[in-house]
Amino acid sequence: ARFGPTAIRSAARRMRPDRAHTLAWGADPYAQGAHVLDCGDVPASPFDNALALHQMEVAYSTLLARGVANTSAPGAAALAELSKDGRAHPRVVSLGGDHTIVLPALRALHAVYGPLAVIHFDAHLDTWASAPNVPPQGRITHGTFFYIANEEGLMRNASIHAGIRTKLQV
């Protein structure tokens, strides 16, 4: 997980407006008005999980509070209609990192849009309940974040998992 962001940036260095045509899409995403900005890594404490989760939520909230450069871009009006404040907010894509980054992202997105439906691509459900008698900051792990998100009311019951290869917990 810690090498993911660097590997993604390394591969993306070849992408630029004059070389971005993709045969799969039959189009150039830059020509479609897409504007992608790498906001860098979120500084997160490696020593305190609760602090790290807070730092990530603040980072996502800060990004979502920024203005949208092109409010006439495809989908901007629809997103504005979905937001609680009626404004268009940036679309945030997170790549790389530990699975736990999903929880602070969901918290920040919930503050803007309310309960969310999630499409989760993974080999594991990540919906496990925390072990009993665990202190509050120890409840959130790379396998419990969806359980916690459900407890906090961040998600709607319209989410799906794809690629699961583990047993279901009953």
Side-chain angles (χ1 to χ4, degrees):
R2 70 177 170 253
F3 300 125
T6 302
I8 292 165
R9 286 187 183 104
S10 178
R13 284 189 182 102
R14 295 178 292 170
M15 294 289 292
R16 57 181 197 250
D18 60 332
R19 290 183 52 185
H21 184 85
T22 166
L23 294 175
W25 295 347
D28 176 352
Y30 290 99
Q32 306 297 317
H35 179 75
V36 178
L37 175 65
D38 183 348
C39 298
D41 295 339
V42 173
S45 171
F47 306 109
D48 184 336
N49 288 344
L51 175 59
L53 289 167
H54 173 73
Q55 290 169 317
M56 286 183 273
E57 186 175 347
V58 167
Y60 282 106
S61 297
T62 301
L63 289 173
L64 288 168
R66 294 180 60 123
V68 175
N70 185 0
T71 56
S72 63
L79 285 176
E81 290 178 21
L82 292 173
S83 71
K84 292 179 180 180
D85 61 8
R87 290 181 31 234
H89 294 267
R91 298 177 211 182
V92 178
V93 177
S94 291
L95 302 171
D98 180 273
H99 298 212
T100 313
I101 67 171
V102 173
L103 184 59
L106 285 173
R107 287 173 173 163
L109 287 164
H110 180 269
V112 172
Y113 296 106
L116 304 156
V118 174
I119 302 172
H120 176 228
F121 293 93
D122 197 349
H124 312 98
L125 284 171
D126 301 323
T127 58
W128 304 109
S130 300
N133 303 320
V134 173
Q137 67 198 44
R139 292 186 68 224
I140 301 170
T141 70
H142 67 279
T144 64
F145 60 89
F146 278 137
Y147 185 88
I148 303 295
N150 182 60
E151 277 186 341
E152 294 180 8
L154 305 178
M155 297 170 44
R156 298 180 328 166
N157 195 18
S159 300
I160 60 172
H161 299 279
I164 303 303
R165 61 175 169 84
T166 57
K167 296 189 297 183
L168 295 175
Q169 182 180 10
V170 182

